[in-house]
Amino acid sequence: MSRSFRLARLAGIDIFVHPTFALLLVWVAVSSGLQGRTVGAAAEGVALMLALFGCIVLHELGHALMARRFGIATKDITLLPIGGMARLERMPERPIHEFLVALAGPAVTLLIAVTLFVWLRLSGDWRPLDAISISRGAFVEQVMVANVALLLFNLLPAFPMDGGRVLRAMLAARTDYVSATVRAASIGQGIAFLLALVGLFSNLFLVVVAFFVWIAAGEEAAAVQKRSALAGVAVRTAMMTQLQTLTPASTLADAVELLLSGSQQDFPVLQRGALVGILTRQRLIGALASHGREAAVGPLMEDCPTATPDELLEPMLTRVDATNNRSIAVVAEGRLVGLVTLDNVGELLMVRAAARRNAVPSS
Ligand SMILES: [Zn+2]
């Protein structure tokens, strides 16, 4: 989500918008403009979409504020073309908490729909529902109908919809979290398949949604399996210890020589034995073009995230995740003792998965 841009900050939580959201607005403007054949129709389509996404922000805040009650902070809320996503700092541990956090969003959406309904009734603006659809009718009533659609859609038992999390919480109450996730993810992919099939014959937008659901279900299951494979593993297990290093006075030519002579891609920079930064492969290649081979490493190196050997790998990766670094320096008593790279971690996961397959009892 690093390319999303920040829209606002509500209740201490940053609200981001994914760039593809702009494409959706253009699509809505063009299609409602074509339908109504006026600029006004296009503007109304866009206004309706913005109102709906305002409702989605409130829905996501519902999740975030319920999570806060259980002591879980929310990193940010991102608006995607298929809806919103609140990124919780961690998942609730108890199934009942996940259940309540997952239901808090739909509860907000239901509240919005009921409020709009009551308001329309009291003000006498209510029109028969058969004259209304998401693309046709009085504005407030359209927003209400959209919220009802959002509510029903969100309760589909498929990741990343809330119904998927409710389903997992219910499964997890009976079995472990990993199996519950894997089972909920395959149910979600089954539903995505059906959605795509229905969409092929009715609405192509459904096919796009089904595609997102399919991917999200797979990613959710993979992330949970990865977390569980790494649970309890210390940083020391995954770090490489045979390291090539540079000093601030080294030249880019020295770095190129190291890069070509082995498999290491990112090079810690040491000054009198102390870590002062890192020169990544990407940075090196960019700097070669702009600064030439004889430039010193010192002014070009970047800050390097660090870890200690005894720290647990999984929370460390979560902590570093947001910084977009591929390498983490492992430091003990002020000395560099190793380097963890995302490739190392990938290899470790493969080794552990293979070891587990071989450990299947032969009886
Ligand atoms: Zn939700």
Side-chain angles (χ1 to χ4, degrees):
M1 295 296 135
S2 54
R3 279 175 298 159
S4 299
F5 57 94
R6 202 173 91 163
L7 188 72
R9 191 174 167 85
L10 292 174
I13 301 164
D14 286 327
I15 317 281
F16 287 95
V17 177
H18 197 264
T20 48
F21 187 69
L23 288 180
L24 178 74
L25 285 184
V26 171
W27 180 71
V28 167
V30 169
S31 64
S32 34
L34 285 179
Q35 242 170 25
R37 291 173 191 279
T38 59
V39 178
E44 194 176 328
V46 170
L48 181 66
M49 197 41 86
L50 291 178
L52 182 56
F53 273 81
C55 295
I56 291 177
V57 169
L58 293 177
H59 169 113
E60 297 304 326
L61 279 174
H63 291 302
L65 297 181
M66 181 62 87
R68 192 177 281 177
R69 285 190 50 161
F70 303 126
I72 300 166
T74 300
K75 286 186 201 160
D76 50 51
I77 290 173
T78 303
L79 290 178
L80 301 161
I82 59 159
M85 189 181 65
R87 263 198 324 153
L88 302 187
E89 199 181 56
R90 62 183 169 84
M91 272 300 154
E93 267 144 40
R94 293 178 51 195
I96 180 71
H97 289 177
E98 175 166 42
F99 183 80
L100 291 173
V101 170
L103 278 185
V108 170
T109 303
L110 179 65
L111 189 70
I112 295 172
V114 169
T115 308
L116 294 180
F117 175 76
V118 170
W119 187 75
L120 283 164
R121 274 287 152 124
L122 291 182
S123 63
D125 286 339
W126 177 261
R127 288 197 230 156
L129 264 189
D130 49 12
I132 300 285
S133 76
I134 292 182
S135 58
R136 196 160 52 92
F139 191 80
V140 176
E141 203 161 337
Q142 277 178 291
V143 174
M144 191 212 81
V145 171
N147 269 287
V148 172
L150 181 69
L151 177 68
L152 296 179
F153 185 62
N154 257 300
L155 289 176
L156 277 179
F159 290 120
M161 260 74 80
D162 300 324
R165 297 185 196 289
V166 171
L167 176 67
R168 170 171 60 194
M170 293 198 302
L171 292 171
R174 280 180 233 165
T175 162
D176 63 290
Y177 190 71
V178 178
S179 332
T181 304
V182 170
R183 202 173 309 162
S186 26
I187 294 174
Q189 289 191 325
I191 289 173
F193 185 76
L194 290 178
L195 268 184
L197 216 57
V198 172
L200 273 183
F201 296 104
S202 56
N203 185 343
L204 282 182
F205 189 62
L206 263 189
V207 180
V208 177
V209 171
F211 175 76
F212 273 98
V213 170
W214 181 279
I215 301 285
E219 278 181 357
E220 181 80 24
V224 168
Q225 281 170 317
K226 178 180 157 195
R227 272 212 302 274
S228 92
L230 292 180
V233 175
V235 164
R236 161 191 316 284
T237 315
M239 69 187 189
M240 51 181 193
T241 49
Q242 309 241 308
L243 288 183
Q244 305 286 357
T245 58
L246 297 165
T247 68
S250 308
T251 61
L252 295 184
D254 298 331
V256 169
E257 203 169 302
L258 290 184
L259 183 69
L260 296 179
S261 69
S263 61
Q264 196 179 330
Q265 309 233 308
D266 301 338
F267 301 95
V269 182
L270 302 183
Q271 190 162 34
R272 287 182 218 100
L275 179 76
V276 289
I278 192 162
L279 185 70
T280 63
R281 175 174 178 273
Q282 199 186 1
R283 180 75 166 191
L284 169 59
I285 289 170
L288 273 175
S290 52
H291 293 72
R293 293 171 56 85
E294 294 314 314
V297 165
L300 297 167
M301 68 190 182
E302 294 165 287
D303 284 340
C304 185
T306 60
T308 61
D310 298 321
E311 199 176 338
L312 287 177
L313 194 54
E314 200 268 313
M316 187 279 283
L317 289 173
T318 310
R319 172 166 62 82
V320 174
D321 196 31
T323 63
N324 286 327
N325 280 288
R326 292 190 55 81
S327 293
I328 301 105
V330 185
V331 177
E333 287 159 10
R335 276 186 42 248
L336 179 74
V337 292
L339 193 70
V340 173
T341 68
L342 294 188
D343 298 332
N344 288 146
V345 175
E347 276 165 23
L348 181 75
L349 280 172
M350 279 196 295
V351 169
R352 289 174 80 88
R356 219 171 322 157
R357 272 198 297 278
N358 283 332
V360 171
S362 52
S363 58

